[in-house]
Amino acid sequence: MVALAFRNLTLGYDRHPAVHHLETEISSGSLTAIVGPNGAGKSTLLKAITGVLTPLEGRVIFDEITREDVAYLPQKSDIDLTFPVSVTELVAMGLWKEIGAFGRLGRKGRERVQEAIEAVGLAGLEKRAIGALSGGQLQRALFARLLLQDAKVVLLDEPFSAIDARTMSDLIGVIRGWHNDGRTVLAVLHDHETVRDHFPQTLMLAREMVAHGPTPQVMTQANHSRARRMCEANPGDPILCEVTAA
Amino acid sequence: MIWDTFIAPFADFGFMRRALLGCFAIAIGSTPVGVFLMLRRMSLTGDAMAHAILPGAAVGFLISGLSLGAMTIGGLIAGMVVAVASGLVSRLTVLKEDASLAAFYLISLALGVLIVSTRGSNVDLMHVLFGTVLALDNAALMLLCSFSSLSLIVLAVIFRPLVLECADPQFLRSVSRLSILTHLVFLCLVVMNLVAGFHALGTLMAVGIMILPAATARFWAASIGGLLAIAVLVAMLSSAAGLLLSYHYGLPSGPAIILVTGILYVLSLIFGPIGGVLAKVLPRRHYQS
């Protein structure tokens, strides 16, 4: 079964394409790593799936799910760490889909928030202000919020950049949990070892798709060199093709 | 002695009681809005908004004299237009909020000055600039109290989206479409409170009662609830103290009120336990059982 399909998807900013004619499918319940050189369009692709970015051409097709079912953890969140919000309050935001702007959190909701906090190993820090958390702790809190979002599709943009090894292995545990629940997970990653060890599927991007399939078949030396060549061949903003429908 | 200093002025004179009520209404309505402005690092937005309101109020004044309704409507229209236009421009173009707001309020201000000068009459705009807190009539009091109540209700309604919009706007945008709406409603609250404030304190001083208590509260509270409570208390305390000062020493009351909040702010800056100067300089005792 297919969760997401990209049909001739061309994405970009200010009419300059960054991802070209992407044509592939993400099967439901798959755990996929998105890899590629810098500037390959990995983050751009995630933004298009969330709907923040409108495609220049083509489209993202959701099968049996809607945008509401997609949760997204951006690479550089613009969370205001000076804003007086506690860990509990940050995590509780994950229940927005259920309680919205006016619903009550309730006892059940509080319990679920607590469970999520414990699941990411932040028990004891519930009342801590988010500004007083370390980078790893903040990332754990954001994962707890994702847990509560209960999304069918989870998008993670470089979730392990600048965090310690212990946090990373705990968070990989959370991701595996999602995989076991049958959720579809797409993660932009840089560390090849992490990809090979934990992600069965890989989508390699270099402004266009290099390869997509089982990780061992995608993560080959030949593909890596090809990806690097494709990005280096077009530094700056290449016009590889004309965009017809803007 | 205590009676004569603190109670008698309010007990003996109706205009003092009215002034106190008006100031309390403004304190309760606009200070919470000021807390959110401060938390979003938009304190100067309040000031810019006040400038944007001035021409609207001036036009209202020119058209129908010292009419409460005309000046209120004029101020509201000018403020809302600037707020909504700058909010939309910052969301839809490359220009950031501060620049687009500056652009629109300057346009508004220039337009206001132009209208006033072409009319040529030597209009007394002191009322708009500095307010008339000691001469609030029934209609003005009703207006202040209604705006204050409405502001509190709207703030309560948008509280959760507003907190999300402040703390993690990207997340709010990913889960709901309320982001832009919340931002615009919040800007409208700023305008509404400034318009209410200028009747009592004038357009320039109305910003003071919005921002200064919020900045003061930052040194005493760490949670949103605490910030709101302390800010409102500071504003109410300053209103009463400022009115008494103006009564006993014959000072203009608007500036007196704002200067009292200013004094409280400077004291908090030095002695405040959360990030105050002394709290940063003095070594904190730690690891003691």
Side-chain angles (χ1 to χ4, degrees):
Chain A
M1 213 172 76
V2 175
L4 288 172
F6 308 124
R7 294 277 171 253
N8 188 28
L9 187 65
T10 299
L11 307 165
Y13 304 93
D14 294 333
R15 302 173 56 97
H16 290 296
V19 174
H20 297 265
H21 309 302
L22 186 63
E23 183 85 33
T24 190
E25 287 163 357
I26 305 290
S27 43
S28 185
S30 64
L31 177 54
T32 308
I34 302 177
V35 298
N38 287 326
K42 307 182 294 287
S43 303
T44 309
L45 178 61
L46 292 194
K47 280 184 200 158
I49 300 172
T50 61
V52 177
L53 190 71
T54 315
L56 297 177
E57 201 179 358
R59 44 197 198 112
V60 180
I61 298 166
F62 294 89
D63 201 34
E64 294 183 1
I65 57 164
T66 62
R67 287 239 155 86
E68 304 266 289
D69 297 316
V70 178
Y72 169 51
L73 183 63
Q75 178 184 5
K76 215 177 118 258
S77 69
D78 50 5
I79 292 182
D80 182 354
L81 293 175
T82 64
F83 198 83
V85 169
S86 67
V87 169
T88 304
E89 287 161 337
L90 181 77
V91 174
M93 290 177 189
L95 290 173
W96 178 278
K97 202 169 76 181
E98 288 158 56
I99 60 175
F102 311 116
R104 269 171 58 88
L105 187 55
R107 202 168 54 86
K108 197 89 200 294
R110 268 173 235 286
E111 281 169 11
R112 286 172 59 200
V113 170
Q114 188 58 34
E115 280 164 20
I117 290 174
E118 282 164 15
V120 297
L122 281 183
L125 295 179
E126 292 87 350
K127 293 208 162 68
R128 183 77 63 91
I130 53 171
L133 295 177
S134 71
Q137 288 167 338
L138 180 65
Q139 198 69 353
R140 285 171 189 261
L142 292 173
F143 264 70
R145 184 170 75 180
L146 283 173
L147 274 172
L148 286 184
Q149 279 184 266
D150 194 26
K152 294 200 179 80
V153 175
V154 183
L155 309 175
L156 307 166
D157 198 349
E158 297 197 23
F160 307 132
S161 60
I163 60 170
D164 56 291
R166 171 95 189 282
T167 302
M168 181 169 147
S169 80
D170 284 359
L171 295 184
I172 284 177
V174 174
I175 294 175
R176 296 212 68 88
W178 283 326
H179 186 51
N180 294 338
D181 291 348
R183 298 176 210 274
T184 310
V185 181
L186 279 158
V188 170
L189 291 169
H190 268 303
D191 183 42
H192 292 173
E193 204 179 318
T194 315
V195 175
R196 284 200 197 91
D197 290 351
H198 305 285
F199 288 78
Q201 300 283 315
T202 299
L203 167 61
M204 192 181 284
L205 272 184
R207 296 182 194 270
E208 51 192 296
M209 196 172 83
V210 178
H212 181 205
T215 300
Q217 291 166 33
V218 172
M219 298 289 273
T220 60
Q221 199 51 50
N223 278 341
H224 282 303
S225 329
R226 207 175 132 226
R228 215 171 305 124
R229 268 200 313 278
M230 284 161 72
C231 268
E232 278 165 5
N234 313 289
D237 28 71
I239 309 293
L240 285 179
C241 57
E242 289 302 313
V243 175
T244 46
Chain B
M1 171 61 195
I2 290 177
W3 173 268
D4 283 346
T5 312
F6 296 109
I7 311 290
F10 296 117
D12 295 348
F13 297 102
F15 71 88
M16 285 292 280
R17 287 198 294 276
R18 287 167 171 278
L20 192 66
L21 177 59
C23 287
F24 278 6
I26 293 170
I28 292 168
S30 67
T31 314
V33 174
V35 168
F36 279 98
L37 277 177
M38 175 195 66
L39 289 174
R40 302 184 71 183
R41 302 195 188 89
M42 285 169 64
S43 299
L44 288 175
T45 299
D47 199 42
M49 281 299 176
H51 284 82
I53 288 164
L54 181 67
V59 170
F61 183 73
L62 281 173
I63 292 170
S64 43
L66 206 54
S67 144
L68 188 74
M71 284 168 58
T72 302
I73 291 168
L76 282 176
I77 291 175
M80 299 285 178
V81 167
V82 170
V84 171
S86 64
L88 286 179
V89 165
S90 74
R91 294 294 167 114
L92 302 177
T93 73
V94 290
L95 215 55
K96 293 271 184 275
E97 180 100 35
D98 60 334
S100 68
L101 182 62
F104 280 110
Y105 100 74
L106 288 168
I107 292 169
S108 172
L109 195 59
L111 200 64
V113 172
L114 193 82
I115 294 169
V116 170
S117 60
T118 48
R119 282 293 293 260
S121 58
N122 186 13
V123 193
D124 184 13
L125 282 174
M126 290 298 275
H127 166 84
V128 183
L129 282 172
F130 301 111
T132 49
V133 70
L134 296 179
L136 292 172
D137 57 13
N138 283 342
L141 272 184
M142 284 294 287
L143 183 92
L144 292 189
C145 292
S146 331
F147 272 31
S148 171
S149 312
L150 184 63
S151 169
L152 278 186
I153 292 169
V154 172
L155 196 64
V157 168
I158 66 165
F159 195 82
R160 187 179 289 163
L162 184 60
V163 168
L164 257 74
E165 170 74 12
C166 298
D168 193 352
Q170 222 171 3
F171 178 76
L172 181 63
R173 257 169 265 160
S174 79
V175 293
S176 120
R177 282 173 227 275
L178 289 175
S179 174
I180 290 183
L181 186 67
T182 304
H183 185 66
L184 291 181
V185 169
F186 177 68
L187 286 179
C188 290
L189 279 185
V190 174
V191 171
M192 204 175 84
N193 280 293
L194 287 174
V195 170
F198 88 66
H199 287 297
L201 301 170
T203 50
L204 301 181
M205 294 294 134
V207 193
I209 200 100
M210 193 175 260
I211 299 299
L212 274 169
T216 307
R218 195 67 165 124
F219 294 104
W220 299 97
S223 69
I224 300 178
L227 283 170
L228 292 172
I230 290 176
V232 170
L233 275 179
V234 166
M236 291 171 77
L237 189 72
S238 317
S239 303
L243 284 173
L244 287 171
L245 277 178
S246 84
Y247 174 82
H248 289 299
Y249 298 100
L251 303 170
S253 40
I257 291 168
I258 304 306
L259 279 177
V260 174
T261 51
I263 291 165
L264 289 175
Y265 167 72
V266 172
L267 289 176
S268 307
L269 193 72
I270 298 168
F271 299 107
I274 299 173
V277 174
L278 283 185
K280 286 208 161 173
V281 172
L282 293 179
R284 191 177 295 175
R285 278 183 286 174
H286 49 127
Y287 295 125
Q288 270 191 353
S289 53

